Amino acid sequence: MSAAQTHSPAWPGRRLLDALGVTELDTFDPRAGWRRRADDDVLAIPVGAPVDAPDSVVSIELGDHANVALCVGIAGKTTALQSLALSVCTLYPPTRVQLAIADTQNGITSANATTGPPPHVVAHCAGYRRAADPPADWDTWCAQVEAALNERTGQSQPELLVVVDAVDELLGSHPQVAGTLQRIADEGRDKRRRSRLAPGWVGPLRQPATS
């Protein structure tokens, strides 16, 4: 995509970039915005720009006990979850929110050959593998998420956002993941953490308040 296209007001992605405060993709540095939003109580996350609504951006807010479910159809589910994950990393520092991603279709995020994954990502597993890739290690992903949950008992930690693409497909192929997802759901309200289930699954978890 050319620079002229990315700067055109007619391009829906331009509205999303504007909502994220991104002027130039090649030179954007998120750290100034991270500092401004480090203490925000609510995560306000732009996730898309409707083609048929030229003045609007679709956003969701994730706050304490917020009943938010990102439910999308078969088409566009992975892209919507990718927008969510990238928007979170663009707006908020890793000291405010972290991500655990079960990337069943390998479309939400993946390690960049040069820079690696964003510093927010504490657990990531991609289900789609090339022939030369090692098998997806979902047991390790579960262990990493369980460790992150344990760290959030009785001490201040960044909020943890768990994103799962194609949850039915994941559980059908790797039923051992169900225990970890069930723990997230079970501990939600008791520990002021939040969990949501959808075709694409988003579970944001907040650590207990400390005195």
Side-chain angles (χ1 to χ4, degrees):
M1 182 171 292
S2 68
Q5 286 176 299
T6 62
H7 285 83
S8 170
W11 180 52
R14 181 67 259 165
R15 300 200 303 278
L16 179 59
L17 292 177
D18 288 343
L20 294 172
V22 177
T23 303
E24 297 288 345
L25 287 171
D26 292 339
T27 60
F28 175 70
D29 187 338
R31 287 174 292 185
W34 286 358
R35 288 190 290 269
R36 291 195 304 272
R37 304 181 189 94
D39 298 320
D40 285 2
D41 290 331
V42 175
L43 301 178
I45 309 168
V47 293
V51 175
D52 56 353
D55 296 322
S56 66
V57 173
V58 177
S59 298
I60 62 174
E61 290 188 352
L62 303 178
D64 281 344
H65 305 294
N67 291 315
V68 175
L70 182 63
C71 298
V72 292
I74 295 175
K77 167 174 47 63
T78 300
T79 300
L81 294 175
Q82 182 186 54
S83 294
L84 172 71
L86 292 177
S87 292
V88 166
C89 295
T90 300
L91 293 175
Y92 298 97
T95 55
R96 174 63 183 84
V97 60
Q98 295 176 334
L99 292 168
I101 298 173
D103 198 356
T104 308
Q105 299 184 16
N106 206 27
I108 301 175
T109 187
S110 58
N112 181 282
T114 303
T115 63
H120 308 68
V121 179
V122 297
H124 175 252
C125 191
Y128 176 78
R129 319 298 290 179
R130 296 170 299 180
D133 291 339
D137 189 348
W138 290 106
D139 291 334
T140 295
W141 184 86
C142 290
Q144 291 170 334
V145 174
E146 296 275 354
L149 296 177
N150 293 337
E151 290 172 358
R152 284 161 172 79
T153 301
Q155 56 182 304
S156 178
Q157 291 285 335
E159 191 159 350
L160 179 65
L161 182 66
V162 181
V163 181
V164 180
D165 190 13
V167 64
D168 291 341
E169 178 182 333
L170 173 61
L171 293 177
S173 302
H174 305 281
Q176 72 271 29
V177 178
T180 298
L181 299 187
Q182 188 64 56
R183 180 185 172 189
I184 293 168
D186 289 345
E187 295 182 0
R189 292 191 178 276
D190 291 341
K191 296 186 176 180
R192 295 185 65 197
R193 296 169 179 169
R194 305 185 300 278
S195 59
R196 303 294 171 254
L197 185 62
W201 191 81
V202 182
L205 313 171
R206 182 184 292 275
Q207 71 276 8
T210 56
S211 57

